[in-house]
């Protein structure tokens, strides 16, 4: 309903956009285990039917983009009792409402869109072109073209990504096992162990390779990014 209202306001000339996040396209409230507060976010996860409706809103253009809303937290802020196994026994009434999801933004979004029959072009629009336009950075970001910042990702849409439980990952990854080290400062994530479509082979920032995927799965070279938008 909200997505339809946003689309109607935009059609009437209002300068408005709407977004959703990868975790709302991936998880549903009825699938969350008891005490697994790593799934708590704000607004909370909805039903599987609402998840399907969100994907449809992206397909028809009611919503403009997919964002990470990256909001990691240590285990104590997720209200897990001391000494409890990671991700078990949390208190949803007091836990911090945020999900660590930045690292899984591309594979999680692609998995949801692909399942709905959408293509790579839709993924590029929702994760690159549209966010750049909303931020007023379309002259520099969101496309591969002469004169644009050379920010790119080499990506295999038919590959597989599975987030490891911690900072370490097998090299090379074991068949059917996790493929990518968890690079969030706080490692607790609902994506841990979930097999997602697509795999990043390399990340390039300003024309310089800064990450290599696959068996290497590591940072390379110097960090070359810089702030481009100050709010």
């Amino acid at each position: 309903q909200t997505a339809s209202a946003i689309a109607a306001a935009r059609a009437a000339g209002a300068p408005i956009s709407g977004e959703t996040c990868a975790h709302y396209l991936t998880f549903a409230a009825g699938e969350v285990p008891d005490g697994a507060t790593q799934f708590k976010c704000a607004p909370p996860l909805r039903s599987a039917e609402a998840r399907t409706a969100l994907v449809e809103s992206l397909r028809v253009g009611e919503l403009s983009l997919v964002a990470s809303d990256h909001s990691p937290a240590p285990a104590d802020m997720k209200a897990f009792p001391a000494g409890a196994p990671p991700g078990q026994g949390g208190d949803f009434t007091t836990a911090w409402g945020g999900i660590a999801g930045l690292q899984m933004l591309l594979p999680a979004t692609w998995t949801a869109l692909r399942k709905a029959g959408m293509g790579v072009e839709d993924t590029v629009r929702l994760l690159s072109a549209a966010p750049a336009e909303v931020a007023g950075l379309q002259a520099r970001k969101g496309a591969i073209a002469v004169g644009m910042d050379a920010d790119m990702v080499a990506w295999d849409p038919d590959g597989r990504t599975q987030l490891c439980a911690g900072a370490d990952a097998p090299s090379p990854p074991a068949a059917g096992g996790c493929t990518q080290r968890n690079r969030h400062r706080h490692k607790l994530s609902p994506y841990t162990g979930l097999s997602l479509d697509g795999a990043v082979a390399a990340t390039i920032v300003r024309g310089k390779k800064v990450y290599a995927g696959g068996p290497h799965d590591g940072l390379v070279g110097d960090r070359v990014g810089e702030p481009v938008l100050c709010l």
Side-chain angles (χ1 to χ4, degrees):
Q1 295 176 342
T2 302
S4 298
I6 290 172
R10 188 165 58 244
I16 187 172
S17 64
E19 67 182 42
T20 188
C21 302
H23 44 272
Y24 298 119
L25 305 176
T26 305
F27 306 111
E31 302 165 356
V32 177
D34 291 343
T37 54
Q38 64 268 33
F39 288 86
K40 183 178 179 181
C41 52
L45 299 173
R46 308 297 187 185
S47 66
E49 292 77 15
R51 176 176 59 191
T52 300
L54 275 177
V55 177
E56 178 64 12
S57 295
L58 293 168
R59 189 186 68 80
V60 301
E62 291 179 336
L63 295 178
S64 304
L65 58 96
V66 179
S68 71
D69 195 27
H70 182 59
S71 183
D76 61 335
M77 289 183 65
K78 280 295 190 177
F80 289 112
Q88 298 180 32
D91 182 352
F92 274 93
T93 64
T94 60
W96 171 261
I99 283 179
L102 179 61
Q103 188 174 342
M104 295 292 104
L105 176 60
L106 174 54
T109 301
W110 169 235
T111 300
L113 299 185
R114 188 184 209 183
K115 188 180 298 183
M118 299 171 69
V120 172
E121 297 84 356
D122 299 301
T123 308
V124 172
R125 169 175 56 85
L126 294 166
L127 291 181
S128 296
E133 184 175 357
V134 168
L137 296 171
Q138 63 269 34
R140 296 181 56 183
K141 308 287 185 182
I144 299 175
V146 175
M148 307 281 278
D149 290 344
D151 298 337
M152 297 173 281
V153 58
W155 172 65
D156 175 10
D158 295 320
R160 185 184 71 88
T161 295
Q162 185 172 323
L163 186 67
C164 299
D168 297 326
S171 182
C178 68
T179 65
Q180 202 171 100
R181 296 175 177 87
N182 187 327
R183 300 189 180 281
H184 299 148
R185 178 181 179 185
H186 302 298
K187 306 303 182 186
L188 193 65
S189 172
Y191 290 103
T192 299
L194 183 64
S195 185
L196 298 169
D197 293 339
V200 173
T203 302
I204 299 167
V205 178
R206 304 292 174 82
K208 295 184 178 180
K209 186 176 181 180
V210 296
Y211 169 79
H216 177 74
D217 183 34
L219 305 179
V220 295
D222 298 325
R223 298 176 182 179
V224 295
E226 63 182 47
V228 295
L229 182 65
C230 296
L231 300 177

